[in-house]
Amino acid sequence: METTVLALIRAAIAEDVGPGDVTAEYFIPADSRSKAEIVAREPGVVSGAEIAEAVFKEIDPAVEVEICLPDGSPFVRGSVLMRVAGSTRSLLTAERTALNFLQRLSGVATQARRYVEAVQPHPVQIWDTRKTTPGWRLIEKAAVKHGGGTNHRMGLYDHAMVKDNHLAANSDLASLQAAIHRLRTERPGTRVQLEADTLEQVAGFLTLDGVDMLLLDNMGPEKLREAVKLVNGRFWLEASGGITLETIKEVAATGVNAISVGALTHSSRALDLGLDFY
């Protein structure tokens, strides 16, 4: 497990357990042992199974964990996602932190799966954004992939994306071309994407060399179709801005290559999962 994820797990445990679980310590006998299952109260897609396992192991390395449904697996109400066995105190202490990760990440994966299914049969990718929970980006973007979505840039460091506020500060095409050439020279392999709010901007960007993709922001289906015709395959085209499950199929039909949806991460609901002792 990556060091950053393990640090996140340890921080979550420290936040919840602090110096000790007083309820388990005073109300559960030290020698008590139990078995439990994490059970789905509603359908969805699994994400965070290995993280939940790591939580139990951080609390008590002796806890036995069986992942019944690995990340990316669909499940129905009543499905058993995981079984655990060991010290009753340990299981109870780990319960909430393990469920917090598993419920939240499975919610993201489930949301991503809904959007991926909604665009069928169009060959368009569903992209996430940087609108993630601070500190959770790595695992939330993994959850998007578990749901069948595709990760956009991970951060500001791995993909140049010249958005409206950048253009407000420097929109001159000659200056943009010079910046693109400098980036290509100093950081070869870095993708370059420009945001276009109008078809006029799209036409202007077609005069530039070294651009990989355009972000077509808040354009309706008619303008998106016009942009697709105008670009004619020269750049990858990403549609974005207020796209919902109800509107996404119409956007997918315009011929864009990808649709980014901030709601995959910023508005996903945690799924209803429970730890049941037996």
Side-chain angles (χ1 to χ4, degrees), residues 120-153:
Q120 299 303 316
H122 302 290
V124 60
Q125 294 182 358
I126 302 301
W127 287 358
D128 54 25
T129 70
R130 287 167 47 237
K131 297 174 183 177
T132 53
T133 306
W136 282 54
R137 181 168 298 172
L138 191 64
I139 59 177
E140 286 183 347
K141 280 181 171 279
V144 168
K145 292 182 72 173
H146 293 149
T150 301
N151 293 156
H152 202 331
R153 59 178 177 167

Side-chain angles (χ1 to χ4, degrees), residues 66-226:
E66 177 192 359
I67 295 176
C68 304
L69 292 175
D71 290 337
S73 302
F75 57 84
V76 298
R77 185 175 184 273
S79 295
V80 176
L81 279 59
M82 180 179 293
R83 292 189 176 93
V84 291
S87 163
T88 306
R89 286 184 176 181
S90 297
L91 300 187
L92 290 168
T93 300
E95 175 183 3
R96 177 42 51 202
T97 300
L99 284 174
N100 281 349
F101 280 112
L102 192 58
Q103 289 178 286
R104 167 67 181 158
L105 295 174
S106 294
V108 172
T110 302
Q111 179 89 313
R113 183 66 57 86
R114 291 190 189 107
Y115 276 88
V116 169
E117 291 176 348
V119 299
Q120 299 303 316
H122 302 290
V124 60
Q125 294 182 358
I126 302 301
W127 287 358
D128 54 25
T129 70
R130 287 167 47 237
K131 297 174 183 177
T132 53
T133 306
W136 282 54
R137 181 168 298 172
L138 191 64
I139 59 177
E140 286 183 347
K141 280 181 171 279
V144 168
K145 292 182 72 173
H146 293 149
T150 301
N151 293 156
H152 202 331
R153 59 178 177 167
M154 187 60 66
L156 296 173
Y157 54 87
D158 64 345
H159 178 122
M161 192 169 181
V162 186
K163 302 192 71 177
D164 52 356
N165 285 337
H166 299 95
L167 293 170
N170 182 12
S171 60
D172 178 71
L173 289 176
S175 297
L176 285 174
Q177 186 65 82
I180 292 168
H181 282 157
R182 186 163 65 89
L183 176 61
R184 290 295 191 192
T185 300
E186 297 178 3
R187 297 195 179 189
T190 302
R191 293 174 297 176
V192 175
Q193 183 173 14
L194 307 178
E195 178 179 319
D197 299 319
T198 67
L199 293 173
E200 290 74 22
Q201 282 182 305
V202 173
F205 293 155
L206 284 169
T207 67
L208 301 174
D209 293 324
V211 177
D212 297 299
M213 57 186 75
L214 298 184
L215 166 62
L216 306 176
D217 191 44
N218 286 301
M219 292 189 186
E222 183 177 345
K223 285 189 176 180
L224 288 172
R225 282 190 289 270
E226 291 182 41

Side-chain angles (χ1 to χ4, degrees), residues 33-45:
R33 296 185 61 81
S34 297
K35 295 180 179 179
E37 298 175 330
I38 294 181
V39 180
R41 314 289 197 226
E42 61 179 313
V45 177

